[in-house]
Amino acid sequence: NAGVTQTPKFRVLKTGQSMTLLCAQDMNHEYMYWYRQDPGMGLRLIHYSVGEGTTAKGEVPDGYNVSRLKKQNFLLGLESAAPSQTSVYFCASSYVGANEKLFFGSGTQLSVL
Amino acid sequence: GNSVTQMEGPVTLSEEAFLTINCTYTATGYPSLFWYVQYPGEGLQLLLKATKADDKGSNKGFEATYRKETTSFHLEKGSVQVSDSAVYFCALSNSGAGSYQLTFGKGTKLSVIP
């Protein structure tokens, strides 16, 4: 009954460092999403994927890259972290798109110093 | 474009008080509307949804009615409990092909005190 699992849960980076956030879902969902949550801003979509091997840009894609090599995994990469990328990152998945229920992971808190 | 506006918080209520969190939206076409809830330290969970005008979504004592004439989807609960303390997000998704994105409001933090 894992649902959507994100790793790591917390991370501190220095400006310019790189890292990858991993999202894994065990519900055989086609759609996967990466959101960032900032105080007073709600959630904003970074990138999404509608199936294995496909990715697309969301509302705030700059500074991030993603890959969906396997259906169950969706990776979010920061090549050169900046303080503006300090945020809480949420992965989500759904079976048939945003019109139906999204299942969210518990989040990754990232601080870039 | 799409946008969601919800009342600013934080909202503090006593247990058993009546709750209303206002939400209005701007969208083209006929969007689906959602309320998601985020408990402390957790990801968001779908609370309820409505997919067409005059539909009422309900769950765990919460209700919201899709009002197309006022472009609103206000969340209500008759008697809140301490366990309802959380952040509530109103969201919309345009129906039809290409509906990959949920547009979220900024969230309203609710604190319920005994």
Side-chain angles (χ1 to χ4, degrees):
Chain A
N1 243 17
V4 178
T5 303
Q6 292 182 230
T7 53
K9 294 190 183 303
F10 302 94
R11 186 72 185 268
V12 178
L13 291 178
K14 295 181 179 179
T15 297
Q17 287 185 318
S18 63
M19 77 163 294
T20 300
L21 281 66
L22 171 63
C23 177
Q25 53 95 3
D26 61 1
M27 296 171 284
N28 202 35
H29 286 168
E30 291 291 337
Y31 295 70
M32 296 188 74
Y33 315 81
W34 276 107
Y35 285 89
R36 60 177 288 173
Q37 183 181 33
D38 301 294
M41 299 289 288
L43 277 78
R44 294 179 292 171
L45 183 65
I46 305 171
H47 286 281
Y48 63 95
S49 168
V50 302
E52 181 179 320
T54 71
T55 63
K57 295 180 180 180
E59 182 184 356
V60 288
D62 293 343
Y64 305 94
N65 56 74
V66 288
S67 64
R68 184 103 181 264
L69 298 179
K70 294 182 178 180
K71 185 177 183 178
Q72 64 267 34
N73 295 338
F74 195 30
L75 279 62
L76 178 71
L78 286 74
E79 289 187 349
S80 179
S84 61
Q85 294 178 304
T86 294
S87 187
V88 180
Y89 292 86
F90 287 100
C91 177
S93 70
S94 65
Y95 184 61
V96 291
N99 278 334
E100 295 297 325
K101 179 179 180 179
L102 264 62
F103 292 78
F104 282 82
S106 58
T108 296
Q109 188 163 335
L110 175 66
S111 295
V112 182
L113 306 178
Chain B
N2 298 331
S3 67
V4 175
T5 302
Q6 57 182 110
M7 63 186 286
E8 301 220 356
V11 175
T12 302
L13 295 174
S14 297
E15 208 165 19
E16 299 184 3
F18 185 86
L19 168 70
T20 300
I21 301 178
N22 290 337
C23 172
T24 57
Y25 68 89
T26 301
T28 55
Y30 302 93
S32 295
L33 301 174
F34 306 82
W35 278 101
Y36 278 81
V37 58
Q38 184 180 28
Y39 298 103
E42 299 183 9
L44 280 70
Q45 304 173 25
L46 179 65
L47 181 60
L48 53 84
K49 72 173 188 179
T51 58
K52 61 182 187 296
D54 299 325
D55 267 2
K56 177 185 284 188
S58 62
N59 186 24
K60 300 181 181 180
F62 291 88
E63 293 183 340
T65 301
Y66 189 145
R67 301 288 189 198
K68 191 168 176 62
E69 64 275 14
T70 55
T71 62
S72 64
F73 192 54
H74 305 320
L75 182 68
E76 297 182 335
K77 186 175 186 183
S79 176
V80 294
Q81 305 301 313
V82 172
S83 57
D84 295 325
S85 298
V87 181
Y88 292 82
F89 292 91
C90 185
L92 71 82
S93 173
N94 270 331
S95 59
S99 56
Y100 307 128
Q101 181 166 345
L102 273 180
T103 299
F104 285 92
K106 295 182 179 182
T108 302
K109 183 176 182 180
L110 170 67
S111 297
V112 181
I113 55 177

